Amino acid sequence: MPEELKISLVQTDLHWENPEKNLLMLSELIAMDKANVDLIVLPEMFNTGFTMKSALFAEEMNGNTMQWMRNTANEKNCVITGSLIIKENENYYNRLIWMQPNGDFHSYDKRHLFRMAGENDNFTAGRERLIVHLKGWKICPLICYDLRFPVWSRNKNDYDLLIYIANWPEKRSYAWKNLLIARGIENIAYVAAVNRVGADDSEMMYSGDSSILDFTGNYIASSIPYKTEVITIELSFEELEVFRQNFPAHLDADEFEIKL
């Protein structure tokens, strides 16, 4: 039986298109959190905000932000995850990095690009989902707009925790909250979701609403809207396993393939 998993969600405002200030700010926030956790989750594009200037703010895989993630994971002795803009083979990706304390990492490129903001014109979509392992848990990390697509998020009995990192605007917070509930219920898995607060350069407001839900869609931890804060909670694998044994709906799920 896997151990309990302790995670922290970092809900924060972001300095618009200013990687240096954001990394300094996040370092200070993380240092203030004295909890010994297994996983720290940062928002989407945590070093720039949700900018479409991919060519201007892209980094290589050996760039400054990757080194910051490597150093932070090592110092805190935990996994740290979040997304940034990466240039690779002349393409630009909104890439989630799963950085481990020893410097090894995995990555996931955002599949569903938010065309209403022109993300599909400035980035290349990913083609593969990522499942990572931590303390015996199987975890599926996804990015923002992916939340609206239940097929991509579907649990094929291959994960226990679903993570969303986001820059999800306040004006669509109703959708954010209710889709998170749906994803937890239909996938019989914990859901951890971190969203930014504050405003971006276009004065788009973000209320945060970062939260952790259990496998029945109930909230077990929630942030204070509009406030920078770190919320930390310990998840019980035993409770998840007992529920799945007593209500094994996942055994009746439809089989399907995704054509890319």
Side-chain angles (χ1 to χ4, degrees), residues 200-220:
D200 62 21
D201 193 51
S202 65
E203 299 185 356
M204 182 77 74
M205 288 297 301
Y206 300 86
S207 55
D209 302 305
S210 302
S211 56
I212 302 173
L213 298 85
D214 71 9
F215 35 84
T216 66
N218 285 308
Y219 284 84
I220 54 178

Side-chain angles (χ1 to χ4, degrees), residues 126-192:
R127 300 179 62 84
E128 294 184 10
R129 207 168 68 163
L130 173 69
I131 302 294
V132 288
H133 297 81
L134 181 60
K135 293 182 69 175
W137 291 67
K138 293 173 290 184
I139 302 171
C140 178
L142 298 175
I143 304 176
C144 203
Y145 194 38
D146 287 333
L147 174 61
R148 287 185 176 269
F149 300 91
V151 174
W152 189 248
S153 301
R154 185 66 178 170
N155 194 350
K156 302 177 182 179
N157 300 328
D158 57 356
Y159 67 76
D160 311 302
L161 169 62
L162 185 59
I163 292 175
Y164 292 99
I165 62 170
N167 275 216
W168 193 287
E170 169 197 50
K171 63 182 180 180
R172 289 188 287 275
S173 63
Y174 180 85
W176 166 259
K177 295 172 185 175
N178 284 278
L179 289 171
L180 290 174
I181 293 171
R183 297 296 89 85
I185 294 171
E186 69 196 9
N187 293 303
I188 314 180
Y190 287 103
V191 178

